[in-house]
Every structure is written in C-alpha cells, then in structure tokens.
Amino acid sequence: MKKIVVITTGGTIAMKADPVSGGLVPAVSGADLMAAVPALSKVADIEVTEYSNVPSGHITPRMMLELAHCIDAQAAAADVAGIVVTHGTDTLEETAFLLDLALRTEKPVCVTGAMRGASDTSGDGPGNILAAVQTAVAESAAGQGVLVVLNNVIHAARDVTKTHAVNTDTFASPWWGPVGYVYDDKVVFRRQSRRQLKIRPQQLDDNVYLLKCAAGDDGFLLRCLIDKKVHGIVVEAFGCGNVPPAVKKAIEAARRAGIPVVLATRVQAGRVVPVYSYEGSAGSMLDSGIIMAGELTGPKARLKLMLALGITQIQAELQSYFAD
Ligand code: ASP
C-alpha cells in the first residue's frame, strides 16, 4: 500500500462545539481526525503531521510558504507517494494557490477541509479526507499541481474558489470547471490542470495590500497605502480592469512612488483586458506601468506578488511572473 503523509493545519474539520459558548473551536488532534476515517486503512498507509491547529483566518502567507517547505521536505522521502493537507475552508484556496506556485515536488498534493465541524450532525470532514487520500494515491494525480478535493470534486488550485458561506457544496472553479471526480472505486480526471510558472523565494514580502474598488471610490485608502510606503498593491477593479478616475490618480501616484500595482478584477471570472481608453480604464493606466493580473482573483494576485517580490523588485521581472 502507498504511504500518504497527512499534514493538519486546523479549520472547521478539526473543530468541535465548545460546551460553554456553543460555538465551534479547535479541538481535534491530527490522530483523532484520522481515527474518524476507518476506511483509510484500505486506501493507504497514513502518517500524520500536525503543522498547526488554527482557523484558516489565522494562517498567514509566511505560514503558507513555511508549509510549502514542510511539504517538500516530507515529499522528498522515497516511500512517500503523496501529501494531503487539511485546512480551514475560508482561506483554503489561497494556501492551495501559494503551494501550487512554490512547491518543488511533482508528487500529488491535495488540500481538503470541511464545512461542518467534527461534532456536527453528518460532518463532511471524514468523507473529504478519504476522497483527498484516494486522489493522492491515484497515479493520474501526479504532475497535476496542487489539487483541492471536497465533496468528491477535484479542482485545480489556480481556478478554485469558495462560493457559499455555509453550504457543503461550496468549492467551484468558475467558468473552467473542476478537473476530476472521486468515485468509491476510482478517481477520474476529465482534464489536465494547467501548470503554473513556479516562484520559489526563501522568504516572501508580505508588505503587500489588496483593495477592492466600489462605485464612487475616491482613492482614500490607496493614498493611505502610499503614505505607509507599502511594497506592493493589488487593486480589484471593475469589469475588465476599470476604476473610478480618483482611483486612477492614486494608482499613478503609487507608481510614481515606485510601488508595483497589480490590477485584478472584482468579477468572479475572466481577465483584465485593456479594451477601453477612457479615464480610469485599464488602457488609460498602461503608461503608468500597471501589471495586469490576468485571470487571477485579487487574493491570489496578492500572494503571487508577495512571492515575486521575495525574488525581485525589478518591474519587468515582476511583470513577467504575471504574464503566465
Ligand atoms: N472558519 C473556518 C476556517 O476557515 C471555516 C472552515 O474551516 O470551513 O477555519
């Protein structure tokens, strides 16, 4: 039987109702998580490593990069066939995306979580762990990059996002769709997940901020970031990359101050395209040297900029990472 290392980080999957407050709190150890899934013994030899036991809102980009180094170290062992990471669902797509950019291993790496706690009626954690381990032992999962497995559906880390605050059927890959499905008897891939350009700094630069545009935005928050001398800014613009005129002025001021600015869209899918040239459009800001995020969401573009800034501050080189 193949050996899979399960690295636990926390999240609802490892939470139980607190007897005093009644709310879910971190309570379940890695070993207990595995003990709740007896069917695992028929699928793989499991070794558990606890990285943390925190809600995923407590996970930082630095922790994500440290987790990448930890996964690469575990995956380097010849007898390890793949890795499963358990994680809170709130920021799961961000950790999966950063791992996809930063990992060296070609072995399967599957990230999973749960929408219901370990003490809830019909918790989804055990089934999700089983499906993630089934995926990690599948030959066809190798070289697919980091995969997100919940509700028996397999998504590419690059495309996946959480779409519902509480429903168990929450993860989706808008427009592109999932890459595969986990059946009881086998794992089926219907498409190959696209490989991403790797970015592997030893340290990332987390002095990078994300701002979302809303109608009538007067650029106040952007100017605060310039005053704070941040190292990078990601702006989630309207539509295909358009912002209010006052935000355009603030973006130009950021560029004059030497701050890299990445333009993403606040729309769920599609990319930033400079099809307009009116004041505030992506086209009207090209001369100031904005970097277009392509199809990346704001949070994912922010992580990519943090990793890229860990390697270079040269504008053309930063730009080349986003041309992928
Ligand atoms: N708030 C939880 C977390 O992200 C939600 C979950 O795990 O589903 O840690």
mmCIF file of all heavy atoms in Angstrom, residues 95-112:
data_model
loop_
_atom_site.group_PDB
_atom_site.id
_atom_site.type_symbol
_atom_site.label_atom_id
_atom_site.label_comp_id
_atom_site.label_asym_id
_atom_site.label_seq_id
_atom_site.Cartn_x
_atom_site.Cartn_y
_atom_site.Cartn_z
ATOM 1 N N THR A 95 -4.072 29.207 0.343
ATOM 2 C CA THR A 95 -2.954 28.311 0.661
ATOM 3 C C THR A 95 -2.685 27.367 -0.497
ATOM 4 O O THR A 95 -1.532 27.163 -0.897
ATOM 5 C CB THR A 95 -3.255 27.513 1.951
ATOM 6 O OG1 THR A 95 -3.309 28.430 3.044
ATOM 7 C CG2 THR A 95 -2.197 26.463 2.226
ATOM 8 N N ALA A 96 -3.755 26.801 -1.082
ATOM 9 C CA ALA A 96 -3.568 25.862 -2.192
ATOM 10 C C ALA A 96 -2.865 26.554 -3.356
ATOM 11 O O ALA A 96 -1.972 25.985 -3.987
ATOM 12 C CB ALA A 96 -4.917 25.302 -2.631
ATOM 13 N N PHE A 97 -3.245 27.802 -3.625
ATOM 14 C CA PHE A 97 -2.650 28.541 -4.744
ATOM 15 C C PHE A 97 -1.169 28.832 -4.487
ATOM 16 O O PHE A 97 -0.319 28.630 -5.351
ATOM 17 C CB PHE A 97 -3.420 29.847 -4.965
ATOM 18 C CG PHE A 97 -2.854 30.702 -6.060
ATOM 19 C CD1 PHE A 97 -2.971 30.325 -7.395
ATOM 20 C CD2 PHE A 97 -2.191 31.888 -5.773
ATOM 21 C CE1 PHE A 97 -2.441 31.107 -8.414
ATOM 22 C CE2 PHE A 97 -1.659 32.673 -6.783
ATOM 23 C CZ PHE A 97 -1.782 32.284 -8.101
ATOM 24 N N LEU A 98 -0.859 29.303 -3.256
ATOM 25 C CA LEU A 98 0.548 29.585 -2.951
ATOM 26 C C LEU A 98 1.385 28.314 -3.029
ATOM 27 O O LEU A 98 2.486 28.310 -3.583
ATOM 28 C CB LEU A 98 0.694 30.257 -1.586
ATOM 29 C CG LEU A 98 2.140 30.682 -1.289
ATOM 30 C CD1 LEU A 98 2.190 32.051 -0.618
ATOM 31 C CD2 LEU A 98 2.896 29.668 -0.440
ATOM 32 N N LEU A 99 0.847 27.201 -2.508
ATOM 33 C CA LEU A 99 1.586 25.935 -2.572
ATOM 34 C C LEU A 99 1.836 25.562 -4.035
ATOM 35 O O LEU A 99 2.928 25.117 -4.406
ATOM 36 C CB LEU A 99 0.805 24.813 -1.882
ATOM 37 C CG LEU A 99 0.606 24.926 -0.365
ATOM 38 C CD1 LEU A 99 -0.236 23.756 0.145
ATOM 39 C CD2 LEU A 99 1.946 24.967 0.366
ATOM 40 N N ASP A 100 0.828 25.761 -4.877
ATOM 41 C CA ASP A 100 0.958 25.416 -6.286
ATOM 42 C C ASP A 100 2.104 26.196 -6.947
ATOM 43 O O ASP A 100 2.813 25.671 -7.802
ATOM 44 C CB ASP A 100 -0.369 25.702 -7.001
ATOM 45 C CG ASP A 100 -0.479 24.958 -8.319
ATOM 46 O OD1 ASP A 100 0.017 23.821 -8.407
ATOM 47 O OD2 ASP A 100 -1.060 25.517 -9.271
ATOM 48 N N LEU A 101 2.276 27.454 -6.546
ATOM 49 C CA LEU A 101 3.349 28.270 -7.111
ATOM 50 C C LEU A 101 4.716 27.893 -6.539
ATOM 51 O O LEU A 101 5.721 27.960 -7.238
ATOM 52 C CB LEU A 101 3.109 29.758 -6.816
ATOM 53 C CG LEU A 101 1.968 30.455 -7.560
ATOM 54 C CD1 LEU A 101 1.808 31.879 -7.039
ATOM 55 C CD2 LEU A 101 2.223 30.481 -9.061
ATOM 56 N N ALA A 102 4.741 27.519 -5.261
ATOM 57 C CA ALA A 102 6.031 27.428 -4.564
ATOM 58 C C ALA A 102 6.596 26.017 -4.401
ATOM 59 O O ALA A 102 7.785 25.855 -4.136
ATOM 60 C CB ALA A 102 5.902 28.075 -3.185
ATOM 61 N N LEU A 103 5.763 24.991 -4.561
ATOM 62 C CA LEU A 103 6.251 23.630 -4.291
ATOM 63 C C LEU A 103 7.210 23.127 -5.364
ATOM 64 O O LEU A 103 7.052 23.440 -6.547
ATOM 65 C CB LEU A 103 5.070 22.656 -4.206
ATOM 66 C CG LEU A 103 4.274 22.651 -2.906
ATOM 67 C CD1 LEU A 103 3.091 21.697 -3.024
ATOM 68 C CD2 LEU A 103 5.159 22.254 -1.733
ATOM 69 N N ARG A 104 8.158 22.300 -4.931
ATOM 70 C CA ARG A 104 9.077 21.637 -5.871
ATOM 71 C C ARG A 104 8.575 20.253 -6.261
ATOM 72 O O ARG A 104 8.803 19.796 -7.365
ATOM 73 C CB ARG A 104 10.462 21.467 -5.229
ATOM 74 C CG ARG A 104 11.174 22.762 -5.093
ATOM 75 C CD ARG A 104 12.562 22.599 -4.492
ATOM 76 N NE ARG A 104 13.091 23.945 -4.262
ATOM 77 C CZ ARG A 104 13.614 24.705 -5.195
ATOM 78 N NH1 ARG A 104 13.727 24.243 -6.428
ATOM 79 N NH2 ARG A 104 14.032 25.918 -4.931
ATOM 80 N N THR A 105 7.911 19.581 -5.316
ATOM 81 C CA THR A 105 7.554 18.185 -5.559
ATOM 82 C C THR A 105 6.561 18.028 -6.705
ATOM 83 O O THR A 105 5.699 18.880 -6.910
ATOM 84 C CB THR A 105 6.977 17.526 -4.281
ATOM 85 O OG1 THR A 105 6.702 16.162 -4.571
ATOM 86 C CG2 THR A 105 5.706 18.201 -3.793
ATOM 87 N N GLU A 106 6.716 16.950 -7.431
ATOM 88 C CA GLU A 106 5.769 16.594 -8.501
ATOM 89 C C GLU A 106 4.780 15.550 -7.989
ATOM 90 O O GLU A 106 3.886 15.125 -8.714
ATOM 91 C CB GLU A 106 6.527 16.024 -9.708
ATOM 92 C CG GLU A 106 7.354 17.045 -10.460
ATOM 93 C CD GLU A 106 6.494 17.961 -11.327
ATOM 94 O OE1 GLU A 106 5.581 17.462 -12.012
ATOM 95 O OE2 GLU A 106 6.730 19.184 -11.304
ATOM 96 N N LYS A 107 4.977 15.119 -6.742
ATOM 97 C CA LYS A 107 4.053 14.123 -6.180
ATOM 98 C C LYS A 107 2.702 14.787 -5.922
ATOM 99 O O LYS A 107 2.639 16.005 -5.710
ATOM 100 C CB LYS A 107 4.636 13.534 -4.882
ATOM 101 C CG LYS A 107 5.869 12.679 -5.142
ATOM 102 C CD LYS A 107 6.456 12.116 -3.861
ATOM 103 C CE LYS A 107 7.709 11.295 -4.172
ATOM 104 N NZ LYS A 107 8.399 10.808 -2.963
ATOM 105 N N PRO A 108 1.614 14.013 -5.913
ATOM 106 C CA PRO A 108 0.302 14.620 -5.677
ATOM 107 C C PRO A 108 0.222 15.319 -4.320
ATOM 108 O O PRO A 108 0.666 14.772 -3.312
ATOM 109 C CB PRO A 108 -0.655 13.414 -5.707
ATOM 110 C CG PRO A 108 0.061 12.373 -6.484
ATOM 111 C CD PRO A 108 1.529 12.561 -6.199
ATOM 112 N N VAL A 109 -0.324 16.518 -4.343
ATOM 113 C CA VAL A 109 -0.589 17.271 -3.113
ATOM 114 C C VAL A 109 -2.054 17.706 -3.170
ATOM 115 O O VAL A 109 -2.462 18.423 -4.079
ATOM 116 C CB VAL A 109 0.333 18.505 -2.990
ATOM 117 C CG1 VAL A 109 -0.034 19.323 -1.746
ATOM 118 C CG2 VAL A 109 1.802 18.080 -2.930
ATOM 119 N N CYS A 110 -2.855 17.225 -2.208
ATOM 120 C CA CYS A 110 -4.295 17.504 -2.198
ATOM 121 C C CYS A 110 -4.649 18.257 -0.922
ATOM 122 O O CYS A 110 -4.244 17.858 0.172
ATOM 123 C CB CYS A 110 -5.087 16.205 -2.237
ATOM 124 S SG CYS A 110 -4.734 15.222 -3.708
ATOM 125 N N VAL A 111 -5.406 19.327 -1.075
ATOM 126 C CA VAL A 111 -5.826 20.112 0.084
ATOM 127 C C VAL A 111 -7.321 19.890 0.288
ATOM 128 O O VAL A 111 -8.093 19.934 -0.674
ATOM 129 C CB VAL A 111 -5.536 21.612 -0.122
ATOM 130 C CG1 VAL A 111 -5.818 22.392 1.167
ATOM 131 C CG2 VAL A 111 -4.094 21.828 -0.573
ATOM 132 N N THR A 112 -7.716 19.648 1.540
ATOM 133 C CA THR A 112 -9.126 19.433 1.826
ATOM 134 C C THR A 112 -9.512 20.112 3.139
ATOM 135 O O THR A 112 -8.652 20.613 3.879
ATOM 136 C CB THR A 112 -9.468 17.923 1.845
ATOM 137 O OG1 THR A 112 -10.897 17.771 1.841
ATOM 138 C CG2 THR A 112 -8.883 17.212 3.055
#
